[in-house]
Amino acid sequence: GESVGLHLPTLSVQEGDNSIINCAYSNSASDYFIWYKQESGKGPQFIIDIRSNMDKRQGQRVTVLLNKTVKHLSLQIAATQPGDSAVYFCAENSGGYNKLIFGAGTRLAVHP
Amino acid sequence: NAGVTQTPKFQVLKTGQSMTLQCAQDMNHEYMSWYRQDPGMGLRLIHYSVGAGITDQGEVPNGYNVSRSTTEDFPLRLLSAAPSQTSVYFCASSYVDRGVDEQFFGPGTRLTVL
């Protein structure tokens, strides 16, 4: 069936380094992708999104890359800070209110 | 704005008990939804609503009921709790023309069913 998965369950980085969190999706009909950040004890928080007609989108310190050929999505965080420590989810939407599928999440741990 | 609020934050139930998880938003969002989050899994959609009086099922609706009598509130009811319903529950809302694109999530309710 349709699924969204993540390559690494935990990612450890040094403060100041760049982080890359990866995500694979299997539904070629998905046309919208979202990255969420979830801090401990809190709900998911929208970080950045990208539509299928784009291959790159930049925000503040974050960049999302979309490779539709291999159905791969990545989130790049520049100059990672301790406050970036959280679980990051990717989600894909193939249209409709009930078509948003979330990945299981990757935990990002930032070390001083 | 308070955003999306959920009560209670924590709840322990015995098998067979019923309860209602409350969700409210003050952003005048038409779209509201309930998700559950289980360890090692992504959020899964339980029920959603695109406006007062309109609800529909998501991926995992069994064992849950919802209603939407006002724009602000979207309660989730467990009629007869089961251990399989132990989870963290999140409510979310957005403008209906944004759909699931820009959802705001509440802080969650951690439910344990014994």
Side-chain angles (χ1 to χ4, degrees), chain A residues 32 34 36 38 41-46 49 51 89 93 96-105, chain B residues 31 35 37 40-43 45 48 50 57-58 90 96-103 105-107:
Chain A
Y32 179 66
I34 311 169
Y36 290 94
Q38 186 176 23
K42 297 183 179 180
Q45 178 183 8
F46 173 93
D49 59 0
R51 298 206 173 270
F89 298 91
N93 189 5
Y97 297 108
N98 60 344
K99 298 295 186 183
L100 187 64
I101 301 173
F102 288 82
Chain B
Y31 177 76
Y35 294 88
Q37 184 177 39
M41 299 182 68
L43 278 74
L45 182 65
Y48 65 97
V50 298
Q57 296 180 350
F90 290 99
V96 71
D97 62 352
R98 300 300 299 159
V100 296
D101 292 7
E102 292 182 5
Q103 293 188 93
F105 284 84

Side-chain angles (χ1 to χ4, degrees), chain B residues 29-88:
Chain B
H29 286 164
E30 303 95 344
Y31 177 76
M32 296 186 74
S33 57
W34 277 102
Y35 294 88
R36 60 178 288 171
Q37 184 177 39
D38 300 300
M41 299 182 68
L43 278 74
R44 291 182 292 168
L45 182 65
I46 304 172
H47 286 284
Y48 65 97
S49 168
V50 298
I54 306 170
T55 63
D56 207 344
Q57 296 180 350
E59 179 186 356
V60 288
N62 292 342
Y64 308 94
N65 282 352
V66 292
S67 61
R68 184 93 179 271
S69 57
T70 67
T71 300
E72 293 79 18
D73 301 297
F74 190 42
L76 179 72
R77 298 185 188 85
L78 284 71
L79 298 179
S80 180
S84 61
Q85 294 178 305
T86 294
S87 187
V88 181

Side-chain angles (χ1 to χ4, degrees), chain A residues 39 92 102:
Chain A
E39 296 175 282
E92 62 174 311
F102 288 82

Side-chain angles (χ1 to χ4, degrees), chain A residues 51-106:
Chain A
R51 298 206 173 270
S52 59
N53 60 353
M54 303 172 68
D55 53 19
K56 180 179 181 179
R57 190 165 189 219
Q58 288 184 294
Q60 192 172 21
R61 280 201 309 119
V62 295
T63 301
V64 56
L65 299 178
L66 176 63
N67 185 331
K68 295 181 289 293
T69 302
V70 295
K71 298 195 188 86
H72 184 268
L73 191 69
S74 69
L75 176 70
Q76 300 179 359
I77 304 174
T80 312
Q81 302 169 1
D84 295 326
S85 293
V87 175
Y88 290 81
F89 298 91
C90 63
E92 62 174 311
N93 189 5
S94 57
Y97 297 108
N98 60 344
K99 298 295 186 183
L100 187 64
I101 301 173
F102 288 82
T106 292

